[in-house]
Short mmCIF file of all heavy atoms in Angstrom, two decimals:
data_model
loop_
_atom_site.label_atom_id
_atom_site.label_comp_id
_atom_site.label_asym_id
_atom_site.label_seq_id
_atom_site.Cartn_x
_atom_site.Cartn_y
_atom_site.Cartn_z
N SER A 1309 -7.32 -5.19 -7.36
CA SER A 1309 -7.70 -6.56 -7.06
C SER A 1309 -8.44 -7.21 -8.22
O SER A 1309 -8.48 -8.44 -8.32
CB SER A 1309 -8.56 -6.61 -5.80
OG SER A 1309 -9.71 -5.78 -5.94
N ASP A 1310 -9.02 -6.41 -9.12
CA ASP A 1310 -9.68 -6.97 -10.29
C ASP A 1310 -8.67 -7.66 -11.21
O ASP A 1310 -8.98 -8.70 -11.82
CB ASP A 1310 -10.43 -5.88 -11.06
CG ASP A 1310 -9.54 -4.72 -11.46
OD1 ASP A 1310 -8.57 -4.44 -10.72
OD2 ASP A 1310 -9.79 -4.10 -12.51
N TYR A 1311 -7.46 -7.12 -11.30
CA TYR A 1311 -6.41 -7.78 -12.08
C TYR A 1311 -6.07 -9.14 -11.50
O TYR A 1311 -5.89 -10.13 -12.21
CB TYR A 1311 -5.16 -6.91 -12.11
CG TYR A 1311 -5.19 -5.76 -13.10
CD1 TYR A 1311 -4.20 -4.80 -13.11
CD2 TYR A 1311 -6.23 -5.64 -14.02
CE1 TYR A 1311 -4.21 -3.75 -14.01
CE2 TYR A 1311 -6.26 -4.59 -14.92
CZ TYR A 1311 -5.25 -3.65 -14.91
OH TYR A 1311 -5.26 -2.60 -15.81
N LEU A 1312 -5.95 -9.19 -10.17
CA LEU A 1312 -5.60 -10.44 -9.51
C LEU A 1312 -6.69 -11.48 -9.71
O LEU A 1312 -6.40 -12.65 -9.99
CB LEU A 1312 -5.38 -10.18 -8.02
CG LEU A 1312 -5.06 -11.40 -7.15
CD1 LEU A 1312 -3.80 -12.10 -7.64
CD2 LEU A 1312 -4.93 -11.00 -5.68
N SER A 1313 -7.95 -11.07 -9.57
CA SER A 1313 -9.06 -12.00 -9.74
C SER A 1313 -9.11 -12.53 -11.17
O SER A 1313 -9.31 -13.74 -11.40
CB SER A 1313 -10.38 -11.29 -9.39
OG SER A 1313 -11.48 -12.15 -9.59
N GLU A 1314 -8.92 -11.64 -12.13
CA GLU A 1314 -8.96 -12.06 -13.54
C GLU A 1314 -7.81 -13.03 -13.86
O GLU A 1314 -8.00 -14.05 -14.53
CB GLU A 1314 -8.87 -10.83 -14.44
CG GLU A 1314 -8.87 -11.13 -15.93
CD GLU A 1314 -8.72 -9.89 -16.77
OE1 GLU A 1314 -8.83 -8.78 -16.20
OE2 GLU A 1314 -8.46 -10.03 -17.99
N HIS A 1315 -6.61 -12.72 -13.36
CA HIS A 1315 -5.46 -13.58 -13.63
C HIS A 1315 -5.63 -14.94 -12.96
O HIS A 1315 -5.24 -15.98 -13.53
CB HIS A 1315 -4.19 -12.90 -13.14
CG HIS A 1315 -2.93 -13.62 -13.48
ND1 HIS A 1315 -2.58 -13.96 -14.77
CD2 HIS A 1315 -1.93 -14.10 -12.69
CE1 HIS A 1315 -1.42 -14.59 -14.77
NE2 HIS A 1315 -1.02 -14.69 -13.52
N PHE A 1316 -6.22 -14.97 -11.78
CA PHE A 1316 -6.44 -16.23 -11.08
C PHE A 1316 -7.43 -17.11 -11.85
O PHE A 1316 -7.23 -18.34 -11.96
CB PHE A 1316 -6.97 -15.95 -9.68
CG PHE A 1316 -7.36 -17.18 -8.92
CD1 PHE A 1316 -6.43 -18.16 -8.62
CD2 PHE A 1316 -8.68 -17.37 -8.50
CE1 PHE A 1316 -6.79 -19.30 -7.92
CE2 PHE A 1316 -9.05 -18.50 -7.81
CZ PHE A 1316 -8.10 -19.47 -7.52
N GLN A 1317 -8.47 -16.52 -12.39
CA GLN A 1317 -9.44 -17.29 -13.17
C GLN A 1317 -8.80 -17.87 -14.43
O GLN A 1317 -9.14 -18.99 -14.85
CB GLN A 1317 -10.65 -16.42 -13.52
CG GLN A 1317 -11.46 -15.96 -12.33
CD GLN A 1317 -12.00 -17.11 -11.51
OE1 GLN A 1317 -12.36 -18.17 -12.04
NE2 GLN A 1317 -12.05 -16.92 -10.18
N GLN A 1318 -7.89 -17.15 -15.04
CA GLN A 1318 -7.18 -17.67 -16.20
C GLN A 1318 -6.32 -18.86 -15.83
O GLN A 1318 -6.26 -19.85 -16.56
CB GLN A 1318 -6.33 -16.56 -16.83
CG GLN A 1318 -7.14 -15.44 -17.46
CD GLN A 1318 -6.27 -14.29 -17.93
OE1 GLN A 1318 -5.06 -14.27 -17.72
NE2 GLN A 1318 -6.89 -13.30 -18.57
N HIS A 1319 -5.63 -18.77 -14.69
CA HIS A 1319 -4.84 -19.91 -14.20
C HIS A 1319 -5.73 -21.10 -13.89
O HIS A 1319 -5.39 -22.25 -14.17
CB HIS A 1319 -4.06 -19.52 -12.95
CG HIS A 1319 -2.70 -18.96 -13.23
ND1 HIS A 1319 -1.71 -19.71 -13.80
CD2 HIS A 1319 -2.16 -17.73 -13.02
CE1 HIS A 1319 -0.62 -18.98 -13.92
NE2 HIS A 1319 -0.87 -17.77 -13.46
N LYS A 1320 -6.88 -20.81 -13.28
CA LYS A 1320 -7.80 -21.87 -12.86
C LYS A 1320 -8.34 -22.64 -14.05
O LYS A 1320 -8.58 -23.85 -13.98
CB LYS A 1320 -8.96 -21.24 -12.08
CG LYS A 1320 -9.73 -22.20 -11.19
CD LYS A 1320 -8.97 -22.55 -9.95
CE LYS A 1320 -9.84 -23.37 -9.00
NZ LYS A 1320 -9.09 -23.82 -7.80
N ALA A 1321 -8.53 -21.95 -15.18
CA ALA A 1321 -9.03 -22.62 -16.37
C ALA A 1321 -8.02 -23.61 -16.95
O ALA A 1321 -8.39 -24.58 -17.60
CB ALA A 1321 -9.41 -21.58 -17.43
N ILE A 1322 -6.73 -23.35 -16.70
CA ILE A 1322 -5.67 -24.22 -17.21
C ILE A 1322 -5.34 -25.33 -16.22
O ILE A 1322 -5.17 -26.49 -16.60
CB ILE A 1322 -4.40 -23.39 -17.51
CG1 ILE A 1322 -4.72 -22.32 -18.56
CG2 ILE A 1322 -3.27 -24.29 -17.99
CD1 ILE A 1322 -3.58 -21.36 -18.81
N ASN A 1323 -5.25 -24.99 -14.95
CA ASN A 1323 -4.88 -25.95 -13.92
C ASN A 1323 -5.79 -25.75 -12.72
O ASN A 1323 -5.74 -24.72 -12.05
CB ASN A 1323 -3.41 -25.77 -13.52
CG ASN A 1323 -2.97 -26.76 -12.46
OD1 ASN A 1323 -3.70 -27.67 -12.10
ND2 ASN A 1323 -1.77 -26.57 -11.95
N ASP A 1324 -6.62 -26.73 -12.44
CA ASP A 1324 -7.60 -26.60 -11.38
C ASP A 1324 -6.96 -26.62 -10.00
O ASP A 1324 -7.60 -26.23 -9.01
CB ASP A 1324 -8.64 -27.72 -11.49
CG ASP A 1324 -9.85 -27.47 -10.61
OD1 ASP A 1324 -10.48 -26.40 -10.77
OD2 ASP A 1324 -10.16 -28.33 -9.76
N ASN A 1325 -5.71 -27.06 -9.89
CA ASN A 1325 -5.03 -27.15 -8.60
C ASN A 1325 -4.30 -25.87 -8.22
O ASN A 1325 -3.70 -25.80 -7.14
CB ASN A 1325 -4.04 -28.31 -8.61
CG ASN A 1325 -4.73 -29.65 -8.74
OD1 ASN A 1325 -5.81 -29.85 -8.18
ND2 ASN A 1325 -4.13 -30.57 -9.48
N VAL A 1326 -4.31 -24.87 -9.09
CA VAL A 1326 -3.59 -23.64 -8.80
C VAL A 1326 -4.30 -22.89 -7.67
O VAL A 1326 -5.53 -22.98 -7.51
CB VAL A 1326 -3.51 -22.76 -10.07
CG1 VAL A 1326 -4.85 -22.14 -10.38
CG2 VAL A 1326 -2.44 -21.68 -9.91
N CYS A 1327 -3.53 -22.16 -6.86
CA CYS A 1327 -4.10 -21.38 -5.76
C CYS A 1327 -3.92 -19.89 -6.03
O CYS A 1327 -3.16 -19.49 -6.91
CB CYS A 1327 -3.47 -21.76 -4.42
SG CYS A 1327 -1.73 -21.34 -4.27
N LEU A 1328 -4.62 -19.09 -5.25
CA LEU A 1328 -4.59 -17.65 -5.46
C LEU A 1328 -3.20 -17.07 -5.19
O LEU A 1328 -2.80 -16.07 -5.79
CB LEU A 1328 -5.62 -16.98 -4.54
CG LEU A 1328 -5.91 -15.49 -4.76
CD1 LEU A 1328 -6.35 -15.23 -6.19
CD2 LEU A 1328 -6.98 -15.01 -3.79
#
Side-chain angles (χ1 to χ4, degrees):
S1309 56
D1310 56 329
Y1311 281 172
L1312 177 59
S1313 178
E1314 179 183 348
H1315 186 56
F1316 174 62
Q1317 295 302 324
Q1318 292 174 355
H1319 270 295
K1320 200 76 172 176
I1322 300 174
N1323 181 7
D1324 193 56
N1325 295 323
V1326 73
C1327 66
L1328 190 56

